[in-house]
Amino acid sequence: MEQSKKYLLLLIILIISFSFYNYTIYTSKSDYGTVHLSDKAIKGENIWLNKNCNSCHQLYGLGGYLGPDLTNVYSTKGKGEIYIKAMINSGIKIMPKFNLSENEKDELVQFLKEVDQTGYYPNISTKIQSNGWVSLKYKNLNYEDK
């Protein structure tokens, strides 16, 4: 009977420790970089969301798998603003034609440009720190942890 009380006490201590650890990790804002989108990019993000682009495309590997990952499409050699607008205008066989205005296309391109500036995908220049956090290589130092 005494042995089972020790195990129960140990279990309670572990649950409390685990709960405190999770609360600390998931409520702390200090480990997040500050990312701010311009007003034009926010409008582009709204277009991205309203047209459900993430059902086919990914940003940082998250999203659908029908279309390509667009994290770094703006800075990819041979692509960029003209390429993005051409794809938005005509798409390909399976990409719908959205009939966006020139202003909406510019906003969507601005959103993809600012996403591109946040980092690399896939990010192979990572280092695991002793505290368990992963240090990433960023394109723009404004987004890097300070």
Side-chain angles (χ1 to χ4, degrees), residues 31-94:
D31 293 312
Y32 300 111
T34 307
V35 178
H36 298 285
L37 294 175
S38 66
D39 290 339
K40 189 174 183 179
I42 290 172
K43 290 177 183 176
E45 180 183 26
N46 287 332
I47 293 167
W48 173 274
L49 295 171
N50 290 334
K51 299 297 183 183
N52 204 17
C53 299
N54 61 320
S55 65
C56 296
H57 296 281
Q58 309 96 49
L59 293 177
Y60 285 103
L62 300 173
Y65 292 100
L66 190 57
D69 187 297
L70 299 179
T71 306
N72 297 122
V73 69
Y74 192 87
S75 65
T76 301
K77 187 176 179 178
K79 297 188 179 174
E81 183 174 348
I82 295 171
Y83 174 84
I84 295 169
K85 283 187 177 182
M87 288 296 114
I88 293 170
N89 283 335
S90 59
I92 58 171
K93 293 178 185 177
I94 56 175

Side-chain angles (χ1 to χ4, degrees), residues 23-144:
Y23 175 80
T24 303
I25 294 296
Y26 292 111
T27 59
S28 172
K29 301 277 186 202
S30 65
D31 293 312
Y32 300 111
T34 307
V35 178
H36 298 285
L37 294 175
S38 66
D39 290 339
K40 189 174 183 179
I42 290 172
K43 290 177 183 176
E45 180 183 26
N46 287 332
I47 293 167
W48 173 274
L49 295 171
N50 290 334
K51 299 297 183 183
N52 204 17
C53 299
N54 61 320
S55 65
C56 296
H57 296 281
Q58 309 96 49
L59 293 177
Y60 285 103
L62 300 173
Y65 292 100
L66 190 57
D69 187 297
L70 299 179
T71 306
N72 297 122
V73 69
Y74 192 87
S75 65
T76 301
K77 187 176 179 178
K79 297 188 179 174
E81 183 174 348
I82 295 171
Y83 174 84
I84 295 169
K85 283 187 177 182
M87 288 296 114
I88 293 170
N89 283 335
S90 59
I92 58 171
K93 293 178 185 177
I94 56 175
M95 183 173 160
K97 189 173 181 181
F98 290 112
N99 297 319
L100 299 176
S101 69
E102 283 301 315
N103 194 39
E104 289 173 320
K105 291 175 198 170
D106 290 338
E107 292 166 350
L108 190 53
V109 167
Q110 184 65 31
F111 170 65
L112 291 173
K113 178 181 178 182
E114 292 187 26
V115 166
D116 188 290
Q117 293 173 354
T118 62
Y120 300 97
Y121 183 79
N123 195 330
I124 56 175
S125 300
T126 60
K127 293 180 184 171
I128 299 176
Q129 300 172 359
S130 60
N131 61 3
W133 288 102
V134 177
S135 174
L136 301 173
K137 181 178 178 185
Y138 291 91
K139 283 186 171 184
N140 186 336
L141 295 179
N142 291 332
Y143 301 110
E144 195 166 347

